[in-house]
Amino acid sequence: MESTIVLISKKGKGVQVILSANFIEDLVSPTTTVNSDLTKETTYANVNGFYNVSLEFGYNAKTRINTNAVLTYNFGLDSRVSNTVNINNNILFNTKTTTVKPKVNAILNWKNVLEIAPSYNVRFTAAKFSTLDLQNQRFSQHNIRLKTVLFAIKDFEWRNDIDYFHNPKVVSNFQKNTLLWNTTLDYSFLKNKVTAFIKIYDLLNQNTSVVRINNSNFIEDNLSSVLKRYFMFGLKWRFDTFNSK
């Protein structure tokens, strides 16, 4: 049985707050037994005690710095507390995970010629196990992003998207830092109906996908295969809608 309750949902001028809770009873959960020869047997049982509570807060505002520049900014906080129930080797235990993610970003537009949008977010995760066989864990993941758009030359648009990721707690043989830079140059013609573009993905050829994942009974550092640097050329054609008679 599952029930979800939205306790608070408020959206006013520049402010949004959402507090919700989700409770699950009689959830079918795997029960794992590891034998002496290291083989595993999995069965299933109905257990109670699963829940998930989340709070989202956001604030945004816009201000004109002068006749040429407009600044839009916002900051927020996402937090979540969840509890799962696990059965390993006939031992029932809880895993309580708390995640807090503050974030801030801004967009500066100068005379509709240049747009700069920096942002930063960090996710703090704490995993607490009720069994002494598993060690409690704390780790974080950081992301800094810078997006720019340049409209200085007529019919041209140059966009950059730079991401920096930092995972300080991953194991030593994994890359802790990643810098990803994508850049795109657009040229519009035929009265802006056609746009030719060239995009370079991962300009620095440094892209990796390393992330620490918190599971119900273990912590995993995951390294995934990802695309490295590549180039893409293309055309985009905009079709105007017909006026209704």
Side-chain angles (χ1 to χ4, degrees):
M1 182 177 68
E2 181 175 351
S3 59
T4 302
I5 305 172
V6 178
L7 302 176
I8 299 176
S9 181
K10 181 180 180 181
K11 187 175 181 180
K13 185 178 180 180
V15 178
Q16 178 172 300
V17 180
I18 299 175
L19 177 61
S20 63
N22 178 258
F23 304 91
I24 305 176
E25 300 294 328
D26 293 326
L27 181 70
V28 177
S29 178
T31 300
T32 304
T33 301
V34 180
N35 301 315
S36 57
D37 60 355
L38 299 182
T39 59
K40 286 203 276 187
E41 296 179 9
T42 301
T43 57
Y44 295 88
N46 292 79
V47 294
N48 299 324
F50 287 81
Y51 66 81
N52 185 27
V53 180
S54 64
L55 170 65
E56 299 176 22
F57 168 80
Y59 174 81
N60 64 82
K62 179 186 288 189
T63 181
R64 179 172 289 277
I65 300 175
N66 53 44
T67 56
N68 295 322
V70 176
L71 177 66
T72 303
Y73 59 92
N74 62 72
F75 58 86
L77 179 69
D78 297 340
S79 59
R80 186 181 304 272
V81 179
S82 63
N83 187 75
T84 60
V85 182
N86 316 281
I87 305 175
N88 278 0
N89 289 338
N90 296 318
I91 299 175
L92 187 145
F93 65 95
N94 297 332
T95 303
K96 183 178 179 181
T97 304
T98 303
T99 303
V100 179
K101 182 182 178 182
K103 53 189 177 181
V104 59
N105 61 74
I107 301 175
L108 176 64
N109 186 291
W110 186 72
K111 294 180 64 174
N112 290 323
V113 171
L114 174 64
E115 190 170 273
I116 302 174
S119 65
Y120 170 72
N121 70 75
V122 55
R123 175 178 295 175
F124 300 100
T125 302
K128 185 176 181 180
F129 305 96
S130 62
T131 174
L132 297 178
D133 294 336
L134 296 173
Q135 185 178 3
N136 297 336
Q137 297 286 331
R138 292 178 180 270
F139 56 93
S140 60
Q141 296 170 314
H142 302 256
N143 175 221
I144 301 174
R145 168 174 280 190
L146 177 63
K147 299 177 72 172
T148 65
V149 185
L150 182 64
F151 313 93
I153 303 176
K154 184 180 179 180
D155 298 328
F156 282 90
E157 180 178 303
W158 182 30
R159 289 177 278 120
N160 289 278
D161 192 348
I162 303 172
D163 267 301
Y164 172 74
F165 301 94
H166 179 53
N167 294 284
K169 288 289 188 176
V170 296
V171 292
S172 58
N173 57 329
F174 279 10
Q175 185 171 320
K176 298 179 184 292
N177 306 297
T178 300
L179 185 62
L180 176 62
W181 183 3
N182 302 325
T183 185
T184 304
L185 181 63
D186 293 346
Y187 172 65
S188 299
F189 54 98
L190 293 181
K191 297 181 178 180
N192 291 326
K193 290 185 177 181
V194 182
T195 300
F197 68 90
I198 174 174
K199 178 176 182 177
I200 306 176
Y201 179 84
D202 189 17
L203 182 64
L204 303 178
N205 204 31
Q206 293 185 10
N207 190 27
T208 59
S209 177
V210 177
V211 63
R212 171 159 285 200
I213 301 171
N214 174 52
N215 290 282
S216 58
N217 58 354
F218 63 92
I219 303 294
E220 177 184 41
D221 290 334
N222 190 290
L223 173 62
S224 303
S225 298
V226 293
L227 286 173
K228 292 289 188 178
R229 180 171 54 207
Y230 68 85
F231 299 79
M232 184 166 62
F233 303 88
L235 285 174
K236 294 182 289 186
W237 189 291
R238 181 173 61 85
F239 295 93
D240 291 330
T241 56
F242 293 100
N243 295 325
S244 58
K245 295 183 179 180

